[in-house]
Every structure is written in C-alpha cells, then in structure tokens.
Amino acid sequence: MKKATSISAVLLFVTILVGVLGTYSIIMALPLIGEEFHLNPVEQGAIISVYFLGFAIFTIPGGIIADKRGSKQIIVINLVLWAILTALTGAVTGFAALLVVRFLLGFIDAPLMPAMLKAIAERTPANIRTTTLSIVSTAEPIGTGLAPFLVAPLIAILGWQEATFVTASIGLLLAPILWIFLPRPFVMEPPSSSASKPKSIPFLSLLRNEHLLKLTSMLCGIQIVIVGCLTWVPTYLTTEKHLAITQSGLYSSLPLLISMLGNLAGGWLFDRYFHQKFRTLVIPSLLFSTIFLTLMILSDNVNQFLLFESISLFFLSFTTQPILGLTMRIIPSDALGTASGILLTGGKLASIFTPIAMGAFIQAFSFQAGFSLLLVGAGIALVSSFLIHLKRSE
C-alpha cells in the first residue's frame, strides 16, 4: 500500500510539474507576445483569462466524467491533448488564433485536477491524504521556480514558440509512462448495510452542500491573489523595473517557490493537528497574508515588494491544502470528482476575470492600482473562512 501511494504521488507530481512549465512559459513570454502581436495590457491579460474561461466551463463536467470513467484514463487522455494544444500554441500566427487555442487548452485541462484529487483519494489512506496532496501540489511552485532556469533560457535562445514545442514533447513522453505505471486504486468506500449497491450523491445535493460552497468561495478569493501575482508580477518587473526577462522570471518565481513551504506545512498540519479545527488554522493564516499583501502593494522597492509578496503567499498557501483536504474528508470518493469540479470552478471563475480586470486597472491607472484588486480576493477568502462551522460528526 505504501509503495503504491509513493509511486502514485511521484507520477502525479511529475504530471503537474510538466503542465506548470508549459503554462508558465506563456506567462513569461507575455511581454514578447505583446510586442509581436502589438497587444495592450488588457489583451495580454485576455491570453491568460481565456484559458481559465475554458477551464471553468468544463471543470464540473470533467469532474463528473472522472467519477464515471476513472481518474487514470482521464489523466492520460488529458496529457496527450494538452501536448497537442501546447504545440499549437507555438504555431499560431495571430492574436485571435492564440485566444482560440488557449481556450481549448483550458477546456481539455479542466478534468485534470478533479481526476488528480480522485486518484489520490483512491490510492492513499485517509489519514495522510492531505499530506500526500500537499506534496503532489508542491509541483506547482517548484515548476514555477524551475521555469526561469529551464523555460527562460529556451525562450531566450529558441524563441517563445519553440519553447512550447519542447514542453509539448515532454507531455507526450509522459503519457504512456503514466498509463503503464500508475497503480490501481485500493481505497474503496465502506460497504453499505444494504445488499444493494450504494447510490452516488446527486449533483444537485452537492451544489446545495453549504460547506462545499463556502470552501469554493474561499478558493475563489485565494485564486484571485495567486493568479494576479502569477500573471502580472513578471510583466511589472520587466516593464516598470526594467529587468531582463530571465531576471524578472527568476525574481517573480521566488515568492511562488517559497509558497511551496506553506503548501507542505499546511497539508501536514491539517492532517496531523487541525483536521477538526479547520478555522483555527486558516483564519490566522489569511489575516497574516492580507497584512503582507497590503505592504507589498504599498512598496516601491523591488526587494521589499518581493519579500512582502513571499511572506503573503507563504501564509496564503497554508490554506489551500486544508481546503482540498477538508473536501476529501467530507465528500465520499465516488463523488469526489464532481465535488472537486464544483470547488475548482469557483477558483477558475476568479481566474477568468482577474488578469483582464488587473490589466484594465494597470492601463487606466497604474500597476499599484491593479495590484490593489488582490485585496478583494484576500477579503473574500477571509470572510468565507469565518462562515465555515463544522461539527465534529461532520
């Protein structure tokens, strides 16, 4: 059992890592894409937002499919389609075509995270699921941290289009490895006292689950902060602070890499001490994150800006894994794909509007005005966390 859990975690970690490298290559290349296609900040933001639009539209259907078809099949199919569309991203010759490909990329990426959560729930004992998930999820900040060392030189040497071809090739190579080596599920729902097969939870019942909706609202606010930083900090450092693309990529990735520590700590603390004290962990973390986010926005010095961003994202990352961990604890595994689809849709809806809204504020006012919108996300997450009240029996 331990071996199957470890193998699953490693393979899922690598899958997320490859996806992050592909995604971050577009974000790092935004200034170059904007220059090549003569785009303003709102149009550059739309390149990121349209991906999340496709993601949001298909996340819930993707979660339902993951429940019905199985997590392994969905993950492998996703990797193949992701590689094809990532390669097409580098082949486009116009802004409109780029938007279409990015939308389709978000559309086919949507089932991946619900399938990942389901795969972990099926292959991990309940007492270490959140810890395992937090380890797998560190692939995102690690990928972001590696991107300046791997993707930025590729973009500088080959060009942003050719860099997408390289990441697409890695995805195609990984797909058969996952199909062959990802272990079979071993965690099953407890048998029903009735002789008949237990009924799955209806979709509408999940939509009416107040705990799931409040967790969705929390994730929505958190995503506003994360996506806002991920999208506009590299461009801010390049255009306002006049750093080279390799420097801006490195500097902007450091806070996201530091957030990896918060991810790991949040998952471990939730499993070990706070699985019945959710609010005790997340409310102080969100308060500290909001304070340092405010200091970041007010800072004009690059070093102070990055320091405050790092601390803010560190505390913010304390909350992401408990949200997913609590979802895995209150929703049975046979409905977890659908439930996580609902949860992630809330996050991705925030991701749709954040890059464009920030781009509009940056164009009309300043980068500081654009970054001020991040406080809205922090406020949504904080208010939602105060509204979650779980009894021990739940």
Side-chain angles (χ1 to χ4, degrees):
M1 183 179 293
K2 288 183 178 179
K3 184 178 180 181
T5 299
S6 300
I7 292 173
S8 300
V10 169
L11 290 174
L12 296 176
F13 176 93
V14 174
T15 301
I16 295 176
L17 183 66
V18 171
V20 170
L21 290 176
T23 300
Y24 202 71
S25 65
I26 296 297
I27 293 173
M28 290 189 66
L30 265 185
L32 300 178
I33 296 172
E35 183 179 346
E36 181 175 337
F37 295 141
H38 308 290
L39 307 178
N40 60 43
V42 176
E43 291 169 327
Q44 291 180 47
I47 294 173
I48 306 301
S49 292
V50 73
Y51 168 84
F52 292 116
L53 175 62
F55 201 112
I57 289 173
F58 200 60
T59 298
I60 292 176
I64 295 172
I65 293 171
D67 280 333
K68 293 183 179 296
R69 301 296 298 176
S71 56
K72 180 177 179 178
Q73 186 176 359
I74 296 300
I75 293 171
V76 172
I77 292 173
N78 168 269
L79 257 179
V80 174
L81 294 176
W82 175 88
I84 293 170
L85 286 168
T86 298
L88 285 176
T89 301
V92 299
T93 56
F95 177 57
L98 181 58
L99 290 181
V100 171
V101 173
R102 290 286 297 168
F103 174 81
L104 292 175
L105 188 58
F107 193 83
I108 64 98
D109 250 357
L112 181 61
M113 195 58 190
M116 287 274 190
L117 288 173
K118 186 174 178 65
I120 291 172
E122 291 172 337
R123 293 164 175 83
T124 309
N127 64 322
I128 59 168
R129 281 181 190 169
T130 312
T131 303
T132 304
L133 177 61
S134 65
I135 293 172
V136 172
S137 299
T138 57
E140 188 165 347
I142 287 176
T144 304
L146 289 176
F149 302 100
L150 300 178
V151 179
L154 280 177
I155 293 175
I157 296 170
L158 302 176
W160 71 268
Q161 293 96 335
E162 288 76 8
T164 62
F165 300 151
V166 174
T167 53
S169 301
I170 297 173
L172 282 178
L173 291 173
L174 182 59
I177 295 174
L178 267 170
W179 182 256
I180 295 169
F181 294 106
L182 187 66
R184 297 180 63 183
F186 62 80
V187 176
M188 306 297 294
E189 289 302 309
S192 172
S193 56
S194 169
S196 61
K197 184 180 178 179
K199 296 181 179 179
S200 59
I201 299 177
F203 175 69
L204 289 178
S205 295
L206 289 173
L207 279 179
R208 290 192 294 263
N209 187 309
E210 63 173 296
H211 301 314
L212 183 60
L213 293 179
K214 291 170 185 175
L215 291 171
T216 300
S217 178
M218 276 191 69
L219 192 61
C220 176
I222 290 168
Q223 279 297 107
I224 290 175
V225 180
I226 293 175
V227 172
C229 289
L230 186 65
T231 303
W232 285 111
V233 168
T235 302
Y236 167 73
L237 295 176
T238 302
T239 59
E240 292 292 302
K241 299 303 179 182
H242 310 294
L243 300 181
I245 188 170
T246 50
Q247 284 181 300
S248 66
L250 175 61
Y251 282 29
S252 60
S253 70
L254 288 175
L256 296 167
L257 192 58
I258 290 172
S259 71
M260 172 193 67
L261 302 176
N263 250 316
L264 289 170
W268 182 79
L269 287 170
F270 179 77
D271 270 343
R272 190 71 181 268
Y273 301 109
F274 293 97
H275 53 273
Q276 292 183 328
K277 301 175 183 178
F278 177 79
R279 286 165 25 113
T280 305
L281 176 61
V282 301
I283 290 176
S285 301
L286 288 171
L287 281 171
F288 280 116
S289 179
T290 304
I291 291 170
F292 283 101
L293 187 63
T294 304
L295 293 174
M296 179 199 87
I297 295 168
L298 295 175
S299 176
D300 190 51
N301 178 276
V302 171
N303 292 330
Q304 289 181 353
F305 180 94
L306 294 173
L307 174 64
F308 294 141
E309 183 193 5
S310 300
I311 298 173
S312 176
L313 293 183
F314 174 79
F315 283 111
L316 192 70
S317 296
F318 261 75
T319 65
T320 52
Q321 298 310 317
I323 289 173
L324 298 172
L326 187 60
T327 303
M328 287 194 292
R329 284 178 178 267
I330 65 176
I331 303 295
S333 63
D334 63 344
L336 189 57
T338 306
S340 60
I342 295 170
L343 181 74
L344 296 170
T345 296
K348 297 310 174 186
L349 285 174
S351 304
I352 295 169
F353 301 107
T354 301
I356 293 179
M358 288 183 66
F361 270 68
I362 290 167
Q363 185 177 7
F365 304 107
S366 65
F367 270 94
Q368 187 179 53
F371 287 130
S372 296
L373 291 178
L374 302 180
L375 292 175
V376 176
I380 292 172
L382 188 57
V383 171
S384 301
S385 68
F386 276 101
L387 298 177
I388 295 175
H389 296 276
L390 275 168
K391 299 176 182 177
R392 285 183 179 269
S393 60
E394 294 176 298

